[in-house]
Amino acid sequence: MDKLSQITTGKAKSLFSTAHPDQLIMEFRDDTSAFDGKKMEALDNKGNVNNQFNAFVMEFLATKGIETHFIELLSSNESLVKKLDMFPIECVVRNRATGSLCKRLGIEDGLILDPPLFEFFLKDDALGDPLINDHHIVSFGWASQEEADTMRELTLQANDILVNFFSEANLILVDYKLEFGMFQGKMLLADEFTPDGCRLWDKDTLAKMDKDRFRQDLGNVIETYSEVAERLGMQIKLD
Ligand code: C5P
């Protein structure tokens, strides 16, 4: 399948149309951004690592009953995906308090959240992706109540699966963000699941093994992503 024209380009990925009207090519670039694009850098091999990492996690989730937009890997940094009608919403689950939650509510960093905390955010860079709730979603028509409920259920269902998945690699799944879209009347998990969109801490040392290494200038970003991939049993191909 060849790329036809570029449909959108985000901070780390670009989407291209294909000869198939229901399928897109998602290209993972080396570009890395944080703080709504204020910090940007290209990191060698990030596109390759994240594309293959995402494929592995999406395929794993599909085996556990979470349907996703992922179809197949096309190259080291490209995947074929279904073309969805996306919700402008980010679904976040937190198993430990850190990041924006601690800033917003003055919560102690690392606090275990039981039950896990679920939050909706509006996907809008210009507004800094504000926290929203079901009422905003329904009143502004970003999704129906039923769709919001399904997004929350699927995100929490994925949490049960992924907490164990990462635990077996001696990692704590601290938090993560998912996005959903509709395909032929069905809600599917979209976008990506990579260390760019989640927080992973080593169980023994609590070392950060995710994009906080980039955000906080901790170094060895791609080496660490690769170590996570290796611990999970992935064999990443680099160009
Ligand atoms: O920034 P915050 O602490 O709210 O992030 C919660 C989780 O969601 C983190 O794992 C972060 O990487 C992810 N996230 C994301 N994209 C955003 C906002 C948050 O991947 N736009």
Side-chain angles (χ1 to χ4, degrees), residues 49-50 53-54 57 93-99 109 158-159 161-177 193-216 218 220-221 223-232 234:
V49 173
N50 274 6
F53 194 109
N54 176 62
V57 176
V93 168
R94 302 175 190 273
N95 294 300
R96 296 247 192 166
T98 195
D109 195 86
N159 193 48
I161 299 165
L162 291 172
V163 163
N164 287 323
F165 176 72
F166 286 107
S167 179
E168 282 172 19
N170 210 40
L171 293 163
I172 299 168
L173 177 59
V174 172
D175 59 23
Y176 60 90
K177 182 260 303 178
F193 193 104
T194 68
D196 268 7
C198 68
R199 289 192 175 95
L200 298 165
W201 294 351
D202 181 84
K203 261 199 216 172
D204 299 326
T205 65
L206 300 186
K208 298 177 197 300
M209 311 280 290
D210 53 67
K211 198 160 88 172
D212 275 351
R213 298 204 71 80
F214 174 72
R215 295 187 186 100
Q216 299 173 14
L218 299 175
N220 294 330
V221 180
E223 291 81 354
T224 308
Y225 285 21
S226 303
E227 185 188 328
V228 171
E230 207 171 293
R231 285 199 205 179
L232 291 163
M234 300 180 205

Side-chain angles (χ1 to χ4, degrees), residues 145-188:
Q145 183 64 58
E146 198 192 347
E147 288 165 338
D149 290 342
T150 306
M151 277 186 248
R152 183 174 22 238
E153 277 158 28
L154 288 172
T155 306
L156 287 167
Q157 206 178 314
N159 193 48
D160 290 341
I161 299 165
L162 291 172
V163 163
N164 287 323
F165 176 72
F166 286 107
S167 179
E168 282 172 19
N170 210 40
L171 293 163
I172 299 168
L173 177 59
V174 172
D175 59 23
Y176 60 90
K177 182 260 303 178
L178 298 183
E179 294 181 29
F180 294 89
M182 297 301 291
F183 183 77
Q184 298 173 353
K186 184 133 208 187
M187 191 178 296
L188 303 185

Side-chain angles (χ1 to χ4, degrees), residues 13-15 24-28 54 69 77-79 191:
K13 302 191 292 296
S14 302
L15 278 174
L24 301 177
I25 292 175
M26 187 163 71
E27 180 193 322
F28 286 74
N54 176 62
H69 70 153
N77 74 331
E78 296 163 314
S79 290
D191 194 50

